[in-house]
Amino acid sequence: GPFRSPFFTATDAAGRLFVADFDAGKIEILDPDGAVIGTIDTLPGLGALTEPTGIAIDADGNLIVGQEQDQRIVKLALPPLPE
């Protein structure tokens, strides 16, 4: 959907763009053409994603997310590529 405060981005090896939307509490996943193909708004075992303050893709292809409100950094496996 529309972004509220998209401050942070990262790109994976497949060319997907991950956009961390601080105020919306989510990460939108866009394909190389700019179409939204997914959303991350919960963290497995941790609940809702809140105030993502930074994102990166590490050398192993994991998504690293910083959260201001919860004062933590979380490592997530990247979502699989669409078929």
Side-chain angles (χ1 to χ4, degrees), residues 20 50 78 83:
T50 55
L78 287 177
E83 307 246 343

Side-chain angles (χ1 to χ4, degrees), residues 6-55:
F7 294 125
F8 312 99
T9 63
T11 305
D12 71 3
R16 296 181 294 179
L17 179 65
F18 294 76
V19 181
D21 192 332
F22 181 84
D23 285 336
K26 63 183 177 182
I27 298 171
E28 295 280 14
I29 307 167
L30 287 71
D31 70 13
D33 295 322
V36 176
I37 58 171
T39 301
I40 300 170
D41 57 7
T42 58
L43 301 172
L46 298 173
L49 175 62
T50 55
E51 298 178 348
T53 56
I55 59 175

